[in-house]
Short mmCIF file of all heavy atoms in Angstrom, two decimals:
data_model
loop_
_atom_site.label_atom_id
_atom_site.label_comp_id
_atom_site.label_asym_id
_atom_site.label_seq_id
_atom_site.Cartn_x
_atom_site.Cartn_y
_atom_site.Cartn_z
N SER A 103 27.79 1.01 82.27
CA SER A 103 26.80 0.67 83.23
C SER A 103 25.81 1.82 83.56
O SER A 103 25.15 1.83 84.65
CB SER A 103 27.51 0.31 84.55
OG SER A 103 28.24 1.36 85.01
N GLN A 104 25.59 2.70 82.59
CA GLN A 104 24.61 3.78 82.89
C GLN A 104 23.25 3.40 82.20
O GLN A 104 23.20 3.42 81.01
CB GLN A 104 25.14 5.10 82.25
CG GLN A 104 26.10 5.79 83.12
CD GLN A 104 26.43 7.15 82.49
OE1 GLN A 104 25.62 7.81 81.99
NE2 GLN A 104 27.69 7.47 82.52
N VAL A 105 22.32 3.21 83.06
CA VAL A 105 21.00 2.78 82.54
C VAL A 105 20.46 3.76 81.45
O VAL A 105 20.00 3.33 80.37
CB VAL A 105 19.99 2.61 83.69
CG1 VAL A 105 18.60 2.35 83.18
CG2 VAL A 105 20.44 1.50 84.60
N THR A 143 23.90 -7.71 87.97
CA THR A 143 23.22 -6.51 88.55
C THR A 143 21.78 -6.86 88.88
O THR A 143 21.13 -7.74 88.23
CB THR A 143 23.31 -5.31 87.63
OG1 THR A 143 22.37 -4.36 88.04
CG2 THR A 143 22.84 -5.70 86.20
N ALA A 144 21.27 -6.16 89.86
CA ALA A 144 19.86 -6.18 90.21
C ALA A 144 19.00 -5.74 88.96
O ALA A 144 17.78 -6.08 88.88
CB ALA A 144 19.49 -5.25 91.35
N ALA A 145 19.59 -4.99 88.03
CA ALA A 145 18.85 -4.56 86.84
C ALA A 145 18.44 -5.75 85.97
O ALA A 145 17.53 -5.57 85.18
CB ALA A 145 19.66 -3.56 86.08
N THR A 146 18.94 -6.94 86.22
CA THR A 146 18.50 -8.08 85.41
C THR A 146 17.15 -8.59 85.89
O THR A 146 16.48 -9.30 85.15
CB THR A 146 19.46 -9.31 85.52
OG1 THR A 146 19.55 -9.71 86.92
CG2 THR A 146 20.85 -8.96 84.98
N ASN A 165 15.60 -2.31 80.73
CA ASN A 165 16.45 -1.46 79.89
C ASN A 165 17.60 -2.24 79.29
O ASN A 165 17.89 -3.35 79.68
CB ASN A 165 17.01 -0.33 80.77
CG ASN A 165 17.68 -0.85 82.04
OD1 ASN A 165 18.60 -1.56 82.02
ND2 ASN A 165 17.09 -0.44 83.18
N TYR A 167 20.78 -1.93 79.42
CA TYR A 167 21.89 -2.28 80.29
C TYR A 167 21.61 -3.62 81.01
O TYR A 167 22.39 -4.52 81.00
CB TYR A 167 22.07 -1.17 81.35
CG TYR A 167 22.99 -1.61 82.48
CD1 TYR A 167 24.32 -1.92 82.26
CD2 TYR A 167 22.42 -1.67 83.79
CE1 TYR A 167 25.11 -2.27 83.38
CE2 TYR A 167 23.28 -2.10 84.85
CZ TYR A 167 24.52 -2.39 84.65
OH TYR A 167 25.37 -2.83 85.69
N GLY A 168 20.42 -3.71 81.61
CA GLY A 168 19.92 -4.97 82.25
C GLY A 168 19.94 -6.11 81.26
O GLY A 168 20.37 -7.28 81.60
N TYR A 194 24.69 -7.29 91.98
CA TYR A 194 24.81 -6.19 92.92
C TYR A 194 23.49 -5.33 92.99
O TYR A 194 22.84 -5.08 91.94
CB TYR A 194 25.85 -5.14 92.58
CG TYR A 194 27.16 -5.67 92.07
CD1 TYR A 194 27.92 -4.91 91.19
CD2 TYR A 194 27.70 -6.85 92.51
CE1 TYR A 194 29.12 -5.25 90.73
CE2 TYR A 194 28.95 -7.26 92.04
CZ TYR A 194 29.67 -6.48 91.16
OH TYR A 194 30.81 -6.84 90.70
N PHE A 195 23.14 -4.83 94.16
CA PHE A 195 22.17 -3.78 94.33
C PHE A 195 22.86 -2.39 94.26
O PHE A 195 23.70 -2.26 93.45
CB PHE A 195 21.31 -4.15 95.51
CG PHE A 195 20.32 -5.26 95.16
CD1 PHE A 195 20.79 -6.54 94.86
CD2 PHE A 195 18.93 -5.00 95.01
CE1 PHE A 195 19.95 -7.59 94.47
CE2 PHE A 195 18.13 -6.04 94.56
CZ PHE A 195 18.59 -7.29 94.33
N ASN A 196 22.54 -1.48 95.21
CA ASN A 196 23.11 -0.16 95.09
C ASN A 196 24.41 0.01 95.76
O ASN A 196 24.49 -0.01 97.07
CB ASN A 196 22.10 0.87 95.51
CG ASN A 196 21.01 1.04 94.49
OD1 ASN A 196 20.27 0.07 94.31
ND2 ASN A 196 20.87 2.25 93.93
N VAL A 197 25.51 0.13 95.06
CA VAL A 197 26.86 0.15 95.65
C VAL A 197 27.26 1.57 96.01
O VAL A 197 27.18 2.43 95.21
CB VAL A 197 27.85 -0.53 94.67
CG1 VAL A 197 29.24 -0.68 95.31
CG2 VAL A 197 27.35 -1.80 94.11
N THR A 214 25.81 9.96 88.02
CA THR A 214 24.37 9.82 88.03
C THR A 214 23.90 9.32 89.44
O THR A 214 22.66 9.38 89.66
CB THR A 214 23.87 8.88 86.92
OG1 THR A 214 24.39 7.56 87.18
CG2 THR A 214 24.22 9.35 85.54
N HIS A 215 24.73 8.73 90.15
CA HIS A 215 24.35 8.03 91.41
C HIS A 215 24.04 8.97 92.58
O HIS A 215 24.57 10.04 92.68
CB HIS A 215 25.39 7.00 91.74
CG HIS A 215 25.48 5.88 90.75
ND1 HIS A 215 26.63 5.77 89.92
CD2 HIS A 215 24.64 4.91 90.39
CE1 HIS A 215 26.45 4.75 89.11
NE2 HIS A 215 25.21 4.22 89.40
N LEU A 216 23.19 8.44 93.46
CA LEU A 216 22.65 9.23 94.51
C LEU A 216 23.72 9.80 95.46
O LEU A 216 23.83 11.00 95.61
CB LEU A 216 21.62 8.34 95.32
CG LEU A 216 21.04 8.99 96.54
CD1 LEU A 216 20.20 10.24 96.13
CD2 LEU A 216 20.17 8.04 97.29
N VAL A 217 24.47 8.90 96.12
CA VAL A 217 25.40 9.39 97.17
C VAL A 217 26.48 10.41 96.56
O VAL A 217 26.56 11.54 97.12
CB VAL A 217 26.03 8.25 97.89
CG1 VAL A 217 27.18 8.77 98.86
CG2 VAL A 217 24.93 7.52 98.74
N PRO A 218 27.14 10.10 95.54
CA PRO A 218 28.12 11.10 95.04
C PRO A 218 27.43 12.45 94.62
O PRO A 218 28.02 13.49 94.75
CB PRO A 218 28.82 10.38 93.89
CG PRO A 218 28.06 9.21 93.60
CD PRO A 218 27.24 8.86 94.79
N ASN A 219 26.21 12.28 94.04
CA ASN A 219 25.51 13.56 93.65
C ASN A 219 25.19 14.38 94.87
O ASN A 219 25.31 15.63 94.79
CB ASN A 219 24.30 13.23 92.86
CG ASN A 219 24.59 13.05 91.41
OD1 ASN A 219 25.69 13.19 90.92
ND2 ASN A 219 23.54 12.65 90.62
N ILE A 220 24.77 13.82 95.98
CA ILE A 220 24.48 14.55 97.19
C ILE A 220 25.82 15.23 97.63
O ILE A 220 25.88 16.47 97.87
CB ILE A 220 23.94 13.69 98.33
CG1 ILE A 220 22.62 13.06 97.97
CG2 ILE A 220 23.79 14.55 99.61
CD1 ILE A 220 22.07 12.06 98.98
N PHE A 231 21.51 19.45 94.43
CA PHE A 231 21.04 18.04 94.46
C PHE A 231 19.49 17.99 94.20
O PHE A 231 18.76 18.74 94.79
CB PHE A 231 21.41 17.38 95.83
CG PHE A 231 20.72 16.10 95.98
CD1 PHE A 231 21.01 15.06 95.15
CD2 PHE A 231 19.74 15.88 96.93
CE1 PHE A 231 20.43 13.82 95.23
CE2 PHE A 231 19.13 14.67 97.07
CZ PHE A 231 19.45 13.63 96.19
N LYS A 232 19.13 17.08 93.34
CA LYS A 232 17.77 16.91 92.99
C LYS A 232 17.25 15.56 93.44
O LYS A 232 17.84 14.54 93.16
CB LYS A 232 17.62 16.98 91.45
CG LYS A 232 18.06 18.26 90.80
CD LYS A 232 17.80 18.27 89.31
CE LYS A 232 18.47 19.41 88.60
NZ LYS A 232 20.00 19.30 88.62
N ILE A 233 16.08 15.54 94.05
CA ILE A 233 15.41 14.31 94.44
C ILE A 233 14.42 14.00 93.29
O ILE A 233 13.60 14.82 93.00
CB ILE A 233 14.70 14.44 95.75
CG1 ILE A 233 15.70 14.55 96.92
CG2 ILE A 233 13.76 13.18 96.03
CD1 ILE A 233 15.06 14.65 98.32
N TYR A 234 14.61 12.77 92.74
CA TYR A 234 13.72 12.44 91.60
C TYR A 234 12.41 11.79 92.14
O TYR A 234 12.31 10.64 92.26
CB TYR A 234 14.38 11.38 90.70
CG TYR A 234 15.71 11.88 90.06
CD1 TYR A 234 16.84 11.12 90.01
CD2 TYR A 234 15.72 13.17 89.47
CE1 TYR A 234 17.99 11.58 89.44
CE2 TYR A 234 16.93 13.60 88.86
CZ TYR A 234 18.02 12.83 88.86
OH TYR A 234 19.19 13.24 88.27
N GLY A 235 11.46 12.68 92.47
CA GLY A 235 10.09 12.28 92.82
C GLY A 235 9.99 12.08 94.34
O GLY A 235 10.82 11.36 94.96
N TYR A 238 6.14 8.71 95.50
CA TYR A 238 6.08 7.26 95.39
C TYR A 238 5.31 6.75 96.65
O TYR A 238 5.26 7.39 97.67
CB TYR A 238 7.49 6.63 95.46
CG TYR A 238 8.23 6.79 94.14
CD1 TYR A 238 9.14 7.86 93.98
CD2 TYR A 238 8.16 5.91 93.10
CE1 TYR A 238 9.82 8.02 92.80
CE2 TYR A 238 8.85 6.01 91.91
CZ TYR A 238 9.75 7.11 91.79
OH TYR A 238 10.41 7.21 90.60
N THR A 244 9.80 8.87 98.82
CA THR A 244 10.94 8.73 97.90
C THR A 244 11.33 7.25 97.74
O THR A 244 10.93 6.41 98.59
CB THR A 244 12.15 9.55 98.38
OG1 THR A 244 12.55 9.06 99.69
CG2 THR A 244 11.77 11.06 98.44
N CYS A 245 12.12 6.97 96.69
CA CYS A 245 12.39 5.52 96.36
C CYS A 245 13.28 4.89 97.45
O CYS A 245 14.10 5.49 98.05
CB CYS A 245 13.19 5.49 95.09
SG CYS A 245 12.25 5.80 93.67
N ILE A 246 13.02 3.57 97.66
CA ILE A 246 13.86 2.80 98.59
C ILE A 246 14.73 1.88 97.82
O ILE A 246 14.33 1.20 96.86
CB ILE A 246 12.89 2.04 99.51
CG1 ILE A 246 12.17 3.03 100.37
CG2 ILE A 246 13.68 1.04 100.41
CD1 ILE A 246 11.03 2.42 101.26
N ARG A 247 16.01 1.88 98.26
CA ARG A 247 17.05 1.00 97.66
C ARG A 247 17.80 0.22 98.71
O ARG A 247 17.83 0.58 99.87
CB ARG A 247 18.02 1.85 96.85
CG ARG A 247 17.44 2.55 95.58
CD ARG A 247 17.18 1.45 94.51
NE ARG A 247 16.60 2.15 93.32
CZ ARG A 247 15.35 2.34 93.18
NH1 ARG A 247 14.46 2.07 94.11
NH2 ARG A 247 14.86 2.91 92.01
N TYR A 249 21.34 -0.45 99.84
CA TYR A 249 22.70 0.06 99.71
C TYR A 249 23.73 -0.88 100.26
O TYR A 249 23.60 -1.33 101.40
CB TYR A 249 22.78 1.46 100.33
CG TYR A 249 21.94 2.46 99.55
CD1 TYR A 249 20.60 2.77 99.88
CD2 TYR A 249 22.42 3.07 98.39
CE1 TYR A 249 19.78 3.59 99.18
CE2 TYR A 249 21.61 3.93 97.65
CZ TYR A 249 20.29 4.19 98.05
OH TYR A 249 19.52 4.99 97.30
N VAL A 285 15.51 7.71 99.60
CA VAL A 285 16.39 8.77 99.10
C VAL A 285 16.49 9.90 100.20
O VAL A 285 17.65 10.33 100.48
CB VAL A 285 15.87 9.40 97.84
CG1 VAL A 285 16.66 10.67 97.42
CG2 VAL A 285 15.87 8.41 96.69
N ARG A 308 12.44 9.93 87.74
CA ARG A 308 13.35 9.59 86.69
C ARG A 308 12.69 8.32 86.08
O ARG A 308 12.25 7.42 86.76
CB ARG A 308 14.73 9.20 87.31
CG ARG A 308 15.80 9.02 86.33
CD ARG A 308 17.08 8.97 87.03
NE ARG A 308 17.26 7.81 87.77
CZ ARG A 308 18.40 7.49 88.41
NH1 ARG A 308 19.51 8.26 88.34
NH2 ARG A 308 18.47 6.38 89.15
N ASP A 311 12.63 4.11 87.31
CA ASP A 311 13.04 3.91 88.66
C ASP A 311 11.94 3.14 89.42
O ASP A 311 10.83 3.73 89.71
CB ASP A 311 13.22 5.23 89.41
CG ASP A 311 14.63 5.80 89.31
OD1 ASP A 311 15.52 4.98 88.92
OD2 ASP A 311 14.83 6.95 89.59
N PRO A 312 12.08 1.90 89.79
CA PRO A 312 11.11 1.19 90.62
C PRO A 312 11.06 1.83 91.97
O PRO A 312 12.08 2.39 92.44
CB PRO A 312 11.57 -0.27 90.63
CG PRO A 312 12.92 -0.27 90.02
CD PRO A 312 13.29 1.05 89.49
N LYS A 313 9.94 1.74 92.66
CA LYS A 313 9.81 2.50 93.93
C LYS A 313 10.63 1.75 95.03
O LYS A 313 11.14 2.52 95.91
CB LYS A 313 8.34 2.61 94.37
CG LYS A 313 7.70 1.30 94.76
CD LYS A 313 6.28 1.45 95.39
CE LYS A 313 5.65 0.15 95.65
NZ LYS A 313 4.32 0.15 96.21
N LEU A 315 13.59 -1.46 95.71
CA LEU A 315 14.47 -2.60 95.32
C LEU A 315 15.22 -3.07 96.57
O LEU A 315 16.09 -2.36 97.09
CB LEU A 315 15.47 -2.05 94.29
CG LEU A 315 15.11 -2.19 92.81
CD1 LEU A 315 16.32 -1.67 92.04
CD2 LEU A 315 14.73 -3.57 92.38
N1 UFG B 421 18.37 9.68 92.89
C1 UFG B 421 18.01 10.93 93.11
N2 UFG B 421 18.86 11.94 92.71
C2 UFG B 421 20.04 11.72 92.12
C3 UFG B 421 20.49 10.35 91.89
C4 UFG B 421 19.57 9.39 92.22
O1 UFG B 421 17.00 11.21 93.66
O2 UFG B 421 20.75 12.71 91.77
C5 UFG B 421 17.53 8.59 93.35
C6 UFG B 421 17.01 7.71 92.19
O3 UFG B 421 15.84 8.19 91.67
C7 UFG B 421 16.83 6.36 92.84
C8 UFG B 421 17.90 6.33 93.95
O4 UFG B 421 18.30 7.74 94.13
O5 UFG B 421 15.56 6.36 93.50
C9 UFG B 421 19.15 5.56 93.63
O6 UFG B 421 19.59 5.97 92.31
P1 UFG B 421 21.07 5.58 91.79
O7 UFG B 421 21.12 6.30 90.45
O8 UFG B 421 22.08 5.89 92.75
O9 UFG B 421 20.96 4.02 91.57
P2 UFG B 421 19.94 3.17 90.74
O10 UFG B 421 19.04 2.54 91.76
O11 UFG B 421 19.25 3.87 89.69
O12 UFG B 421 20.93 2.19 90.01
C10 UFG B 421 21.57 1.13 90.59
C11 UFG B 421 22.90 0.83 89.89
C12 UFG B 421 22.58 0.42 88.42
C13 UFG B 421 21.65 -0.76 88.47
C14 UFG B 421 20.42 -0.49 89.25
C15 UFG B 421 19.59 -1.71 89.42
O13 UFG B 421 23.67 1.99 89.86
O14 UFG B 421 23.81 0.10 87.79
O15 UFG B 421 20.80 -0.06 90.61
O16 UFG B 421 18.25 -1.38 89.49
F1 UFG B 421 21.26 -1.03 87.17
#
Side-chain angles (χ1 to χ4, degrees):
S103 64
Q104 279 182 41
V105 172
T143 167
T146 61
N165 52 60
Y167 167 65
Y194 317 149
F195 282 65
N196 287 62
V197 188
T214 61
H215 294 110
L216 177 62
V217 169
N219 273 354
I220 298 173
F231 171 62
K232 300 180 191 69
I233 293 182
Y234 299 134
Y238 285 93
T244 61
C245 288
I246 294 174
R247 292 288 179 275
Y249 293 93
V285 173
R308 193 169 65 175
D311 270 344
K313 69 173 177 183
L315 269 182

